[in-house]
Amino acid sequence: MSRVAELTDSEGHTWVYDTGKMLGQGGAGQVFEGLGEDGTAVAVKVVDIGNGKDALRIHSREIEIGRSVAAAPDARHLLVNLGVAIIERTVVIIMPRAETTLERHLEQHGSGLGLDEALSISADITAGLSELAGIGIVHRDIKPGNILRIDGRWVLADFSISRDLADSTATWTRKGEGSTPYMSPEYMLSGIATVRSDLYALGVVLYEMLSGKRPFDSYGDTLRQAVLQNPPPPLPSTVNSALERVVLRLLAKDPAHRYSDARAVEEALDRVRTPLTQWQNRLASAAGGIARARANEVAERERATAAQAAAEDLCTSAILDLHDSMKAMTAAAATVLGDEIQMTVHQLNSIQSWKVRFGDYLLEVTVESRSHFHMQPGFPLVVGSVIAGPRVAKTDSVPMSQRAHSNLFFTPAPHGQGKWVQRIWVAPIAHFNAADPTDNNLWAEIGGEERDLQGLLYHDLPLTPERLWAPFVDLLEKAGRW
């Protein structure tokens, strides 16, 4: 329903806007069609800030940044506010009305823009970023929806989550906010954006202008993983090597590998426009190939690092779960046996063991984690052995001839999960000697990739605390019948 509202800004100017004619909306508010006193068409942004004190400070910061932009000596590529007002718990910002947004423009050209137009728009965006850098502002939300065409040129708009570098310690500058598809890897991880984070977003926008789609066009965890670990897909063959090299450098995972500032990007784009001789084209093509190979290598390293970290976390979690099971079962046994049953924990490098003693009898559970992890379904991250028998006082171990054997395997499963399995052997085989770990290796004996298990009889069961302790309980029952 249309309703015309009138307001007076902080400078005494009167504006009207129609709440029935919305130009756009987002997390920062709604934008309506409006008019100035002289009939000038404007856009009126209305933000309900609620009752939080920090919310008022955040939007006051947007107004302050807008004033800094207006005071800049040559802000031709930044949207300059025409007026502001704070009415009770509502912030109103009056802006020039745009001819269109880059988002709308790209929607009208589904397969991307021509090279000349993409370079021209990029020049305006980089000019805007240079102007922001000149007043110490990081935009933090560069995206097509925040790039407007006004009077024939493209300008940067919406400073609602921008950061004044002079206020680096402020807690109310909306840290970590922004549009995820345009977030740089370091901003995703830390919530802290720098000038080079804006350059990464510029790289996403430039890629989108050239190809008609974003380099990583998914959602949620899939998008996050792609941004952190995957190389950008190749651009269309119509994009020359020199320009592809610029895009790849803007999209570098490590901010140190991007351009130092927007002015350096402007210079690189100017070089792209320069006609090249045949040998210069060969040189540009070679450099583009090297940049693509480097991007693939970096992405592969990031994937390997992430997989290693995930495997290590999963391995640690698995061992902690096993520790909790051993601790809980010992406590349960103590309700029957009192302080006669004791558990000790031993660790040496990647080997951890639990020893449960009751009189002259011992339960040994020993596990070893890999030094190099493989997140492959079915391939164990942790292997171990379960041994129960009479205790040898000197070594506090179980004689080989008296051991009851089973093995433990912890293997990864899809979606970052895993499971413990207990392998019960029909006929015992050689096992790890917890008393002398330096002379034995669980991986060589039972966890090796090339271990031939053909002809050995066993069956695998999901590991439960009761199964884990079954050899020990069986041993005590047998001893009680002697």
Side-chain angles (χ1 to χ4, degrees), residues 17-40:
Y17 63 95
D18 191 336
T19 58
K21 297 180 179 179
M22 185 183 297
L23 295 171
Q25 63 180 337
Q30 299 174 314
V31 182
F32 303 100
E33 291 185 7
L35 295 172
E37 294 170 323
D38 59 356
T40 301

Side-chain angles (χ1 to χ4, degrees), residues 235-294:
L235 283 161
S237 58
T238 52
V239 178
N240 63 53
S241 298
L243 181 53
E244 183 183 33
R245 186 162 167 256
V246 173
V247 175
L248 289 174
R249 187 168 176 184
L250 287 168
L251 294 177
K253 307 295 185 191
D254 186 343
H257 295 159
R258 295 177 209 141
Y259 295 95
S260 57
D261 55 31
R263 192 171 298 280
V265 181
E266 289 183 88
E267 293 171 357
L269 291 175
D270 284 342
R271 288 193 294 272
V272 170
R273 294 189 185 91
T274 304
L276 302 179
T277 63
Q278 183 177 5
W279 77 269
Q280 286 175 321
N281 272 318
R282 290 177 59 196
L283 189 63
S285 179
I290 292 170
R292 166 61 57 189
R294 184 185 302 122

Side-chain angles (χ1 to χ4, degrees), residues 15-134:
W15 310 87
V16 295
Y17 63 95
D18 191 336
T19 58
K21 297 180 179 179
M22 185 183 297
L23 295 171
Q25 63 180 337
Q30 299 174 314
V31 182
F32 303 100
E33 291 185 7
L35 295 172
E37 294 170 323
D38 59 356
T40 301
V42 297
V44 180
K45 178 179 177 180
V46 180
V47 182
D48 182 3
I49 59 176
N51 296 318
K53 181 174 66 174
D54 283 350
L56 179 58
R57 298 174 85 179
I58 287 169
H59 291 289
S60 295
R61 174 49 45 91
E62 179 182 2
I63 293 171
E64 291 172 19
I65 289 176
R67 288 172 179 154
S68 298
V69 168
D74 187 21
R76 297 185 66 253
H77 298 89
L78 303 176
L79 185 68
V80 177
N81 295 335
L82 302 176
V84 296
I86 298 179
I87 305 169
E88 295 180 348
R89 307 303 298 180
T90 301
V91 173
V92 182
I93 301 175
I94 300 93
M95 307 169 289
R97 193 184 301 180
E99 300 158 16
T100 189
T101 67
L102 183 56
E103 182 177 32
R104 245 179 256 129
H105 190 60
L106 289 173
E107 287 172 354
Q108 294 166 358
H109 300 74
S111 59
L113 307 179
L115 180 61
D116 290 340
E117 185 178 16
L119 287 173
S120 175
I121 295 172
S122 297
D124 282 350
I125 299 171
T126 52
L129 289 173
S130 290
E131 291 164 12
L132 276 181

